[in-house]
């Protein structure tokens, strides 16, 4: 038997994934909401974790999203090691990149046929890599995120509604420097203005 842990924020989708995986008699499936925290180490299966890619996004903070992203990744890595299967979409290359950086062996397109997920679980359980071809191009795009970590931090704080003075204080920079970072970031992503740049980054899964 392959023991599988399903991690998803939404209860309805989490239950549907559990039922899908249980249709394979060789899989023993349990589930967990990421908001519930990590239960006792012995209570978790340790073969494969199936995780929604959005659950890999750590909380944003003064150090920027890249410095904080490990907050939710660590429990999954501690229990499953590299045997992560992450559900993602090609429309959000930033999420794909985080999954890859987290050491996920499996990347499954959320629009793939149900059997693809079952195949991915068995493949990853053997320590082998599984990558949906539909995600390959998006993963390469994710590797080409145009902003520096500082520019991304500035836009991420702006996306949370922080005014210019607060962003400057948070990052220990002058407001003029923050404006320069903001203008550069807007230009790099091909946006019309700050709001458009934030929308582009959020749609790609970078914030």
């Amino acid at each position: 038997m392959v023991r599988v842990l399903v991690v998803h924020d939404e209860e309805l989708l989490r239950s549907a994934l559990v039922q899908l995986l249980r249709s394979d008699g060789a899989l023993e499936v349990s589930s967990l909401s990421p908001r519930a925290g990590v239960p006792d180490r012995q209570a978790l299966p340790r073969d494969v974790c199936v995780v929604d890619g959005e659950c890999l996004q750590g909380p944003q903070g003064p150090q920027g999203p890249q410095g904080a992203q490990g907050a939710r990744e660590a429990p999954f890595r501690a229990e499953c090691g590299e045997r992560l299967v992450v559900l993602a979409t090609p429309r959000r290359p930033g999420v794909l990149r985080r999954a890859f950086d987290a050491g996920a062996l499996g990347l499954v397109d959320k629009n793939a046929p149900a059997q693809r997920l079952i195949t991915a679980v068995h493949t990853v359980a053997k320590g082998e890599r599984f990558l949906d071809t539909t995600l390959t191009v998006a993963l390469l795009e994710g590797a080409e995120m145009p902003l520096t970590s500082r520019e991304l931090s500035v836009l991420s704080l702006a996306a949370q509604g922080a005014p210019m003075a607060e962003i400057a204080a948070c990052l220990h920079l002058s407001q003029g420097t923050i404006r320069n970072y903001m203008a550069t970031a807007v230009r790099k992503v091909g946006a019309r203005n700050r709001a458009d740049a934030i929308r582009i980054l959020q749609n790609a899964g970078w914030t």
Side-chain angles (χ1 to χ4, degrees), residues 2-202:
V2 176
R3 295 172 298 172
V4 184
L5 176 68
V6 175
V7 182
H8 202 296
D9 274 322
E10 300 172 47
E11 183 175 355
L12 182 60
L13 294 178
R14 188 168 64 248
S15 298
L17 288 170
V18 168
Q19 292 304 312
L20 165 63
L21 292 168
R22 283 179 178 167
S23 69
D24 185 316
L27 302 179
E28 179 184 310
V29 188
S30 58
S31 66
L32 171 71
S33 167
R35 292 188 296 271
V38 181
D40 181 76
R41 181 171 296 229
Q42 298 302 318
L44 287 177
R46 289 174 246 173
D47 296 326
V48 178
C49 289
V50 175
V51 182
D52 179 56
E54 303 298 332
C55 295
L56 295 177
Q57 296 186 54
Q60 309 298 332
Q63 296 179 346
Q66 292 179 336
Q69 72 181 31
R72 288 189 184 178
E73 291 169 4
F76 307 139
R77 289 299 300 273
E79 299 303 330
C80 300
E82 294 181 337
R83 295 186 180 181
L84 293 174
V85 175
V86 176
L87 304 175
T89 169
R91 295 189 303 276
R92 291 174 65 75
V95 172
L96 275 171
R97 189 67 212 181
R98 274 193 294 274
F100 185 81
D101 290 342
L105 280 180
L107 295 175
V108 178
D109 192 334
K110 291 182 179 181
N111 291 313
Q115 186 59 40
R116 294 285 286 171
L117 177 57
I118 294 174
T119 301
V121 168
H122 283 292
T123 302
V124 169
K126 293 184 289 186
E128 300 173 3
R129 184 173 295 281
F130 182 97
L131 174 60
D132 260 331
T133 54
T134 54
L135 301 179
T136 304
V137 174
L139 181 59
L140 292 173
E141 289 176 352
E144 299 173 356
M145 212 283 289
L147 302 186
T148 65
S149 58
R150 182 67 80 182
E151 291 160 353
L152 188 57
S153 295
V154 169
L155 273 184
S156 295
L157 289 169
Q160 297 172 37
M164 195 72 68
E166 182 178 330
I167 296 173
C170 191
L171 298 178
H172 306 290
L173 298 169
S174 70
Q175 292 190 45
T177 300
I178 295 299
R179 290 191 187 91
N180 289 338
Y181 276 128
M182 191 78 71
T184 301
V186 169
R187 175 180 54 78
K188 281 185 176 181
V189 300
R192 297 186 301 275
N193 49 43
R194 180 196 312 182
D196 192 35
I198 291 171
R199 177 190 61 78
I200 291 170
L201 289 176
Q202 287 178 334

